[in-house]
Amino acid sequence: MGMPGMGMPPDWQRMKQADPEMYELLVSDDELDRQAVELADQVRRAKPEDREKLKTELIAVVGKHFEVRQQRRELQLKRMEEEIQRLKGAIKTRNDARDEIVNKRLTELTGDANPLDF
């Protein structure tokens, strides 16, 4: 994804301003992924006596990485739920104003003067 602060992609720069909460989660996700890959490489190259310590570190990093990804998903879900509620409200408002909306569109299509125009 790119290291924030070091040639950060333009979409990350925009997100940092527009959505700092998601930006921080993405930065953490990227950093923890990098750490996990690096530690996994160290585990593979380690002497047998050093492997367990490195594996323990790797388990901790992978656990933190999992938590950050879950937080991202939960934030995305929360936002989707909020958007669904907003859309449900808009649909209800339009359903309640159905006759008015249909009549306005009919007037637009036929070119008839709307008696409610100023």
Side-chain angles (χ1 to χ4, degrees):
M1 283 198 167
M3 295 303 297
M6 299 173 61
M8 179 185 334
D11 55 327
W12 278 40
Q13 292 171 353
R14 283 188 299 273
M15 182 178 288
K16 184 176 183 178
Q17 295 299 317
D19 191 351
E21 186 177 12
M22 184 61 78
Y23 171 80
E24 289 301 322
L25 289 171
L26 285 171
V27 168
S28 294
D29 184 359
D30 194 55
E31 175 60 23
L32 289 165
D33 187 53
R34 186 194 61 72
Q35 287 177 17
V37 169
E38 186 178 298
L39 275 169
D41 186 52
Q42 289 177 23
V43 168
R44 284 189 298 272
R45 290 182 292 117
K47 297 175 188 171
E49 61 271 14
D50 297 329
R51 289 188 77 156
E52 283 309 309
K53 179 179 181 273
L54 289 169
K55 272 185 161 179
T56 301
E57 289 179 43
L58 180 57
I59 289 168
V61 168
V62 170
K64 287 178 192 173
H65 194 196
F66 175 85
E67 291 303 321
V68 166
R69 287 198 167 183
Q70 286 298 94
Q71 290 172 3
R72 277 183 52 202
R73 288 179 178 97
E74 288 170 4
L75 180 58
Q76 289 170 326
L77 177 60
K78 176 184 167 214
R79 290 177 176 177
M80 286 179 199
E81 288 171 340
E82 290 169 354
E83 178 66 6
I84 288 169
Q85 290 307 311
R86 186 194 65 75
L87 289 171
K88 283 182 177 181
I91 288 170
K92 181 181 181 333
T93 298
R94 290 185 59 81
N95 281 336
D96 292 347
R98 182 189 187 284
D99 291 342
E100 184 181 340
I101 293 168
V102 168
N103 287 334
K104 182 178 179 189
R105 181 63 177 148
L106 182 60
T107 300
E108 290 172 358
L109 291 170
T110 61
D112 292 339
N114 184 341
L116 301 178
D117 283 346
F118 187 70

